Amino acid sequence: MRPFAFSSATDAASAAQMVAANSSTRFLAGGTNLVDLMKEDVERPTAVVSIGDLPFAQIQSTASGISIGATANNTDTANNPTIRQAFPLLTQAILAGASQQIRNMATAGGNLNQRTRCSYFYDTAMPCNKREAGSGCGALGGVNRMHAIFGWSNSCVAVHPSDMCIALAALDATVNVQGPKGARSISFADYHRLPGTTPQRDNTLTQGELITSIEIPQNNFAGHSHYLKLRDRSSYAFALLSVAAALEINGNTIKAVRIALGGVAHKPWRATVAERFLTGKAATEANFKLAADREMVAAKPLQHNKFKVTLGRRAIVRALMNAMAGTGTPTQEN
Amino acid sequence: MSTYQLINSAPVAAIGKPIDRIDGILKVTGTAPYTAELAVPNLAYGVVVGSAIAHGSVRALDVTEALAVRGVVTILTHQNAPRVQLLPERLGETLLRGEGGMTESRQPLQDGAVHYAGQPLAVVVAETYEAARHAATLVRVTYNQLPPQLAVTPAIRQTAPEQYLGNESEKLQVTIGKPDAALAAAAVQVQRVYQSATTHHNPIEPLATIAQWESRDGADFLTLYDANRFVKGLQEVASTAFAMPKENVRVLCKYVGGAFGAKGWMFPPPLLAAMAAKLARRPVKIEWRRQQMFSVAGQRPATKQRLALGAEKDGAITALLHHSQSTSSAVSGFVEPCARMTRMMYGIPNIGFTHKVTHLNLPSPSTMRGPGEVVGGFALESALDELAYELKMDPVALRLRNYAEKNPETGKPWSSKHLRQCYDRGRSLIGWADRKATPRSVRKGRAWLGYGMASTMYPARQREATVKATLFADGRAVVQCATHEIGNGAYTVFQQISADELSLPVERVRFELGDSDFPQAPASGGSTTTSTVGPAAVKACRALIDSLKRLAVQAAQSPLTGAAMDAIEARDGKLVLKEATNQGEAYNEILRRANLPSLTAEGSGKAGPESEQYSFYSFGAVFAQVWVDEACGSVQVKRLCGVYDAGRVINPKTARSQIVGGMMMGLGATLMEETVYDPRNGRAVVRSLADYHAPCCADTPVMDVEFLNIPDPHIGGDFGARGIGEIGCVGTPAAISNAIFNATGKRVRSLPITLDKLLEG
């Protein structure tokens, strides 16, 4: 770890100014990812601005849904009574991630901005375009069992590591940010990026822009949603593949459906092909299978992750079946 | 359970009682001091820079920028490192260097050659840990690169060591009878290839050393506080390296935060701290980072094993062949002894096995809990399950059909074996009668349910140790030995044993360990600590009681004056006449009258002539129930039952904990633990506890652990305890894998059995 200047922001505008003024300055919230990366010499900020004291920790109902403050921690978010009742998919996804200790520290905004856990990104002796533009992608021809099957480029095959974001993607969240040029809202689908030729950029924020809150619009999915996470260990393991599934069913007909996949791409991957196929159709396992097959046709696996294509097909069906059965009630997981 | 026959007929007997760990409260409250937490005045901090490449040499090492960081004291490199002597060839009976040896044959920083990625190239020493960490990022190393050798191909250097660790009695290339001919002639043949991944010990406490040099009367003294399970070994290695008398090196370690085979035989880490302290002329601490543990702490190497069984239709196995290949580094001769179970487990007339080692540019391997037995046992016990399936025979019945009444290799009788009882009890614990012989027979919701079992074993040995026991005039006793508390319960069980022998309540006895100034003990490994230090503690305490008796019978004022020694016994802190137990006196009275502040005696134990007459092993049977969700490839181990014939149990609570931990380690090796190296550059791709999946609470099944608790009549006289440190790991992988086959009909022959293998299998 290298020496850095530390300060605490007292208001959002000045925090944004401080970070905007210097490209090697970083916001610090829960610190569960940034500090690790600094210890690994991957992130080398010369200055760190803590936003922990900013008044962004509230979780409140709004006319159109719910607003989650950027510094609300993951534990409080998952256990918020309104979220548990109206957005159980989010609770399930958060509780499927990390460990209790990490969730107690990690924030909502930080969750969106956490960086890939690709081993090549973490090891400074390895090539990685995300860490050091132009150095090459170590994982492309290396060990890539954990890596992307959708949307990757020759520059980067890393995946976004979040569970929470997979649910937020499925729930059509909006990200509110404040920057040196003022405030704006970004739809969740546009928040994270595909790597293309500039994998060093994970999202569409500009330097100095700070997340203030995340909004989820009201929906009719609460009775039929499910977050399915498949991994190598039952807790404290990143997803090999995960599915956030939500159904609004009228009789036996699918009125609305949302499916997002985790562990498959550089960003939370909305299964729009499957969603379009299922909308208006009968909620049956046979239709779920057809939808999953159509979605996974576009998958381009790497050398070590061909299993994700099969797993994706099955997991989409399983998550939808669980959602239909109403097994979306959040339970405490480790 | 059979009853305990107490060593001493004292009414305060502690042996056999499930007393709490002596160090339990300290550990769970964070107050047990571990090596890296010790306060040493004027301490400097060392941070190690590892090699970025896996093969070649250092072309240049530029430390200019690093030295300029405020607080940097010095930087140790191969150019300025103190020159040290080679390791001794052997430590006790253990071969260190050369083919089949335990460890790396080279000393660190004596040249610029690079043999594996992460190999230490420099130690940055600074006033603060932060300055050292920062400066370490500024050390510029350039290399002369050579192509790393990272895949097992015929072109790579291979060796076939004759012996494991230079041990005459553990030959690695063995033919008993005519196994090839017997296999060809067998009615039924099973020939399979099994593989296992590289795995790491990953103790929660990383490696750590504080090295301190002092000069007294013109002589150099070195103190090493080291996270270590072999203080006497490190003392000898360090004194050899620095060419100084053994007495001038002291190694201390009071608590070890887990070892599992690490922290015993990898000497470069503590020697680097000693070199850095010598160069810096002040005490230096090196606390290794988790990421570095995947390069310098040793690991269980990957294996590929060809196994063949030939059998008659009735299940009598006539031939067993086991050809194994493990990987090692370019500078270590370590071989994974995969045939340890193969050579002794079943009564088979024709057995053959070989061991080959491929030397790659990967970090040096080392022992890991159940070396050979865990992965070799997986192959053997999986193959037996496959044979049972071919023969349409119950897996337990097949094992009983081939029950070994004596050691098939040596022909010697077992010292004590009651394995049939383990099979019987295990069957009833798991509910084996519910198992369907045909896979894919039982549904549990969306999952398939299956049962599996395996035999387990571990060699039992008594090594040589000496214990010193001291009784003080206030009635307390202190018992000392240079053994180690590695989570094995050493503080607790030796306190229990000593308390019984001294006939004192356990709280009046303190057992001290982890100091090379204490009497001799071997490495705490090979499941030998209880059976080695225990008998020596018994002898020391008995010698101490005898000394007390002599004082009493010689004292005119004593109520025991003139009594015959063997007419007296120790009872509740007193010496009394056996025939008139109300006649006697307290220990402290005897010492006070003799005007002695304390009384000390030593006792030594080692294997007697019986060790040549019998074959010493612990045995057991492991049973597993699994649920496999085939569509998503997930495996849940629902139950594990293990029944063990491991001799006398000193403390049922710590013993159960040992086995539970061992079984979980076996579960981890079966389902999730795997260290992966990049196939092009040899760097560890898995190098954190997030990526290295050791099982967590949510992976833990319901576990039943039972001991037959039958004392071994040939270990330590009436002592009778064998080791239990490793037997819990062994057998568990095959039991789970066999259960997965029973559930799904899929046989995955490569550990770990991860989701992708089950999906594709």
Side-chain angles (χ1 to χ4, degrees):
Chain A
M1 193 188 268
R2 301 176 186 226
F4 58 92
F6 179 85
S7 58
S8 272
T10 49
D11 66 278
S14 66
Q17 290 296 346
M18 284 168 76
V19 174
N22 182 345
S23 65
S24 66
T25 304
R26 295 281 182 276
F27 293 117
L28 176 77
T32 57
N33 189 212
L34 179 64
V35 175
D36 280 359
L37 290 167
M38 289 166 67
K39 287 182 183 172
E40 296 273 328
D41 207 31
V42 173
E43 289 275 7
R44 303 169 181 182
T46 54
V48 167
V49 178
S50 168
I51 57 166
D53 293 338
L54 298 185
F56 294 150
Q58 303 90 336
I59 300 170
Q60 51 203 357
S61 295
T62 65
S64 59
I66 196 157
S67 168
I68 301 163
T71 60
N73 74 46
N74 285 179
T75 299
D76 288 348
T77 307
N79 293 326
N80 177 278
T82 308
I83 290 176
R84 289 183 80 93
Q85 189 202 340
F87 307 97
L89 184 64
L90 181 63
T91 297
Q92 274 196 319
I94 293 172
L95 295 181
S99 66
Q100 183 69 60
Q101 292 92 328
I102 292 171
R103 293 193 298 266
N104 289 345
M105 291 299 292
T107 63
N111 192 294
L112 268 60
N113 289 350
Q114 67 179 304
R115 312 213 63 190
T116 183
R117 287 340 192 261
C118 173
S119 310
Y120 295 86
F121 175 66
Y122 263 74
D123 182 352
T124 55
M126 296 276 206
C128 173
N129 289 320
K130 185 180 279 297
R131 188 184 64 244
E132 194 181 336
S135 63
C137 174
L140 183 62
V143 179
N144 48 40
R145 178 172 175 264
M146 298 292 292
H147 291 71
I149 56 171
F150 289 115
W152 53 268
S153 69
N154 285 334
S155 293
C156 181
V157 296
V159 296
H160 195 267
S162 171
D163 291 297
M164 179 180 177
C165 287
I166 310 308
L168 291 173
L171 296 174
D172 291 319
T174 301
V175 185
N176 296 319
V177 305
Q178 183 170 345
K181 292 176 185 165
R184 65 180 177 123
S185 294
I186 309 168
S187 75
F188 209 82
D190 296 331
Y191 185 81
H192 294 101
R193 302 176 67 248
L194 289 179
T197 55
T198 52
Q200 61 272 31
R201 291 182 58 210
D202 294 345
N203 53 50
T204 51
L205 288 181
T206 58
Q207 179 74 23
E209 277 192 316
L210 175 67
I211 300 174
T212 53
S213 67
I214 298 151
E215 287 184 56
I216 309 175
Q218 275 169 5
N219 62 51
N220 296 315
F221 298 130
H224 295 287
S225 65
H226 186 79
Y227 186 73
L228 176 67
K229 181 175 181 180
L230 299 161
R231 45 185 155 177
D232 285 323
R233 161 167 68 189
S234 300
S235 176
Y236 190 54
F238 291 97
L240 290 164
L241 191 139
S242 68
V243 183
L247 288 164
E248 183 182 347
I249 304 171
N250 190 356
N252 189 36
T253 304
I254 298 169
K255 196 172 163 198
V257 56
R258 301 283 184 274
I259 304 166
L261 307 181
V264 297
H266 195 262
K267 61 185 286 189
W269 191 258
R270 267 290 282 273
T272 49
V273 175
E275 288 179 9
R276 274 198 301 275
F277 176 83
L278 286 172
T279 305
K281 289 208 172 57
T284 63
E285 186 166 4
N287 278 334
F288 295 160
K289 277 185 178 157
L290 288 171
D293 287 348
R294 281 167 195 235
E295 184 66 44
M296 299 307 292
V297 160
K300 289 192 174 62
L302 303 161
Q303 187 185 354
H304 302 125
N305 67 8
K306 293 183 176 62
F307 72 97
K308 286 192 179 184
V309 182
T310 307
L311 189 62
R313 277 198 293 267
R314 293 177 182 177
I316 289 171
V317 175
R318 176 65 61 82
L320 287 165
M321 291 295 287
N322 287 348
M324 191 168 72
T327 50
T329 315
T331 52
Q332 185 68 41
E333 285 188 34
N334 287 305
Chain B
M1 281 198 177
S2 67
T3 55
Y4 295 98
Q5 192 199 333
L6 297 169
I7 295 168
N8 222 325
S9 58
V12 290
I15 286 185
K17 281 192 184 152
I19 68 169
D20 291 345
R21 265 173 196 280
I22 303 307
D23 48 340
I25 300 269
L26 290 177
K27 283 180 171 171
V28 299
T29 55
T31 49
Y34 290 91
T35 297
E37 300 171 315
L38 299 176
V40 171
N42 196 30
L43 186 63
Y45 298 80
V47 166
V48 176
V49 178
S51 171
I53 67 161
H55 192 198
S57 61
V58 174
R59 181 190 299 158
L61 223 154
D62 180 359
V63 296
T64 320
E65 218 183 328
L67 276 172
V69 171
R70 201 172 70 175
V72 169
V73 175
T74 187
I75 298 177
L76 181 79
T77 69
H78 71 279
Q79 286 153 339
N80 64 3
R83 298 298 109 177
V84 296
Q85 306 297 309
L86 279 179
L87 291 171
E89 193 181 358
R90 283 177 183 265
L91 269 184
E93 60 192 27
T94 304
L95 183 74
L96 294 185
R97 297 191 266 126
E99 281 187 27
M102 180 61 110
T103 191
E104 262 185 43
S105 51
R106 68 190 291 277
Q107 294 287 39
L109 296 186
Q110 300 300 292
D111 57 48
V114 173
H115 304 282
Y116 49 87
Q119 180 189 313
L121 296 184
V123 184
V124 178
V125 180
E127 298 288 347
T128 64
Y129 179 61
E130 289 76 11
R133 277 290 285 272
H134 176 213
T137 66
L138 303 174
V139 174
R140 309 275 174 239
V141 190
T142 52
Y143 302 91
N144 297 308
Q145 290 206 43
L146 292 169
Q149 300 184 316
L150 297 167
V152 178
T153 67
I156 306 287
R157 181 167 71 93
Q158 281 204 339
T159 51
E162 286 299 324
Q163 296 164 358
Y164 180 59
L165 308 182
N167 184 345
E168 284 280 329
S169 65
E170 191 161 355
K171 295 194 165 51
L172 294 174
Q173 325 292 342
V174 171
T175 304
I176 303 161
K178 295 181 174 168
D180 288 304
L183 178 67
V188 181
Q189 299 171 3
V190 167
Q191 303 199 48
R192 302 284 189 266
V193 175
Y194 301 91
Q195 289 180 273
S196 62
T198 303
T199 54
H200 274 86
H201 317 83
N202 273 315
I204 282 298
E205 179 204 28
L207 303 183
T209 309
I210 296 171
Q212 183 170 29
W213 290 90
E214 285 158 297
S215 188
R216 280 182 247 138
D217 304 326
D220 284 338
F221 288 82
L222 172 63
T223 305
L224 291 168
Y225 303 90
D226 187 53
N228 184 291
R229 62 179 175 90
F230 194 9
V231 292
K232 289 281 190 182
L234 179 55
Q235 178 192 36
E236 191 168 333
V237 165
S239 64
T240 304
F242 292 103
M244 56 201 285
K246 209 155 78 170
E247 311 76 63
N248 292 17
V249 178
R250 188 175 181 197
V251 182
L252 290 148
C253 182
K254 299 297 179 180
Y255 298 94
V256 180
F260 313 118
K263 299 178 180 172
W265 303 94
M266 300 300 273
F267 301 108
L271 290 181
L272 281 172
M275 289 177 182
K278 201 171 175 69
L279 189 70
R281 299 178 176 277
R282 60 191 278 191
V284 169
K285 171 164 84 176
I286 298 179
E287 188 178 5
W288 296 76
R289 299 167 57 220
R290 178 65 58 186
Q291 288 78 2
Q292 296 174 313
M293 294 281 286
F294 290 85
S295 305
V296 300
Q299 69 275 339
R300 192 195 307 282
T303 70
K304 185 172 186 178
Q305 306 173 52
R306 269 192 305 127
L307 213 132
L309 287 168
E312 302 300 327
K313 290 249 158 69
D314 68 353
I317 302 173
T318 52
L320 166 55
L321 283 154
H322 189 170
H323 301 295
S324 66
Q325 178 158 264
S326 57
T327 59
S328 190
S329 77
V331 287
S332 167
F334 185 81
V335 53
E336 185 74 9
C338 292
R340 278 187 142 182
M341 189 171 189
T342 301
R343 71 194 317 152
M344 52 62 66
M345 194 66 218
Y346 297 106
I348 301 171
N350 305 289
I351 301 174
F353 52 85
T354 60
H355 293 78
K356 280 190 181 149
V357 182
T358 309
H359 297 273
L360 302 176
N361 289 117
L362 292 175
S364 294
S366 182
T367 51
M368 183 165 162
R369 206 175 189 183
E373 295 91 353
V374 168
V375 292
F378 164 69
L380 176 68
E381 291 296 301
S382 295
L384 250 83
D385 201 68
E386 302 207 42
L387 176 64
Y389 184 74
E390 294 278 321
L391 293 168
K392 297 185 167 40
M393 198 169 172
D394 179 88
V396 180
L398 177 64
R399 285 161 175 86
L400 289 169
R401 176 71 183 77
N402 294 284
Y403 196 84
E405 299 291 356
K406 59 181 187 197
N407 184 311
E409 182 184 9
T410 64
K412 289 177 185 173
W414 307 110
S415 64
S416 174
K417 178 179 178 181
H418 308 86
L419 177 57
R420 286 191 183 91
Q421 286 184 45
C422 300
Y423 292 135
D424 281 348
R425 181 62 185 151
R427 270 195 294 216
S428 104
L429 277 174
I430 196 88
W432 191 248
D434 294 337
R435 175 183 180 271
K436 309 288 181 223
T438 307
R440 309 178 77 81
S441 292
V442 185
R443 276 283 191 189
K444 278 282 174 190
R446 286 159 167 156
W448 293 109
L449 180 149
Y451 292 95
M453 63 81 57
S455 304
T456 180
M457 47 60 72
Y458 200 81
R461 275 175 289 244
Q462 181 184 358
R463 294 190 165 124
E464 197 167 348
T466 300
V467 169
K468 183 164 97 176
T470 303
L471 183 70
F472 293 92
D474 64 0
R476 288 176 307 109
V478 172
V479 182
Q480 296 171 322
C481 178
T483 187
H484 321 83
E485 174 59 62
I486 58 172
N488 51 353
Y491 276 122
T492 312
V493 297
F494 298 131
Q495 185 187 29
Q496 285 178 268
I497 291 164
S498 305
D500 274 9
E501 285 301 328
L502 295 172
S503 199
L504 288 171
V506 282
E507 57 274 12
R508 300 279 287 278
V509 179
R510 190 167 81 236
F511 185 78
E512 295 181 342
L513 47 67
D515 185 338
S516 61
D517 280 357
F518 291 163
Q520 174 66 33
S524 288
S527 302
T528 56
T529 301
T530 302
S531 57
T532 297
V533 179
V538 168
K539 283 199 173 173
C541 293
R542 287 182 186 177
L544 181 59
I545 294 293
D546 282 348
S547 297
L548 262 184
K549 286 181 186 175
R550 274 191 290 276
L551 281 179
V553 299
Q554 287 163 10
Q557 302 93 323
S558 170
L560 300 170
T561 185
M565 292 276 284
D566 58 7
I568 302 171
E569 67 176 16
R571 181 178 279 246
D572 285 339
K574 291 178 186 165
L575 293 184
V576 297
L577 288 176
K578 287 178 186 170
E579 300 297 322
T581 54
N582 59 349
Q583 190 179 336
E585 65 180 338
Y587 301 161
N588 52 358
E589 279 301 318
I590 300 170
L591 288 184
R592 207 168 293 149
R593 183 184 309 110
N595 207 19
L596 289 172
S598 65
L599 189 63
T600 294
E602 282 198 352
S604 294
K606 63 176 180 181
E610 293 163 300
S611 68
E612 297 301 318
Q613 293 156 18
Y614 297 97
S615 183
F616 290 81
Y617 282 91
S618 285
F619 294 93
V622 192
F623 291 77
Q625 186 204 80
V626 303
W627 294 14
V628 183
D629 181 343
E630 202 175 26
C632 295
S634 63
V635 176
Q636 273 186 292
V637 181
K638 285 289 183 184
R639 292 185 63 199
L640 277 176
C641 301
V643 183
Y644 299 91
D645 174 21
R648 183 197 302 279
V649 173
I650 306 294
N651 182 329
K653 182 179 275 184
T654 54
R656 181 181 184 280
S657 294
Q658 271 279 31
I659 296 291
V660 164
M663 286 176 129
M664 284 309 295
M665 209 158 170
L667 184 150
T670 313
L671 298 179
M672 56 193 85
E673 293 188 37
E674 179 170 20
T675 302
V676 181
Y677 298 95
D678 184 281
R680 302 157 304 178
N681 61 29
R683 293 189 66 77
V685 173
V686 166
R687 42 178 219 131
S688 74
L689 292 180
D691 293 335
Y692 187 91
H693 299 118
C696 63
C697 293
D699 296 304
T700 307
V702 173
M703 297 168 87
D704 297 299
V705 176
E706 290 191 7
F707 298 96
L708 298 187
N709 195 29
I710 300 168
D712 189 314
H714 303 295
I715 285 199
D718 49 6
F719 185 71
R722 296 194 294 257
I724 49 169
E726 288 158 277
I727 195 170
C729 288
V730 185
T732 303
I736 294 171
S737 169
N738 294 341
I740 291 171
F741 174 77
N742 182 245
T744 64
K746 288 182 182 170
R747 178 73 67 177
V748 179
R749 299 187 183 88
S750 164
L751 296 181
I753 304 172
T754 45
L755 175 158
D756 41 334
K757 292 178 187 169
L758 268 173
L759 278 186
E760 288 159 3

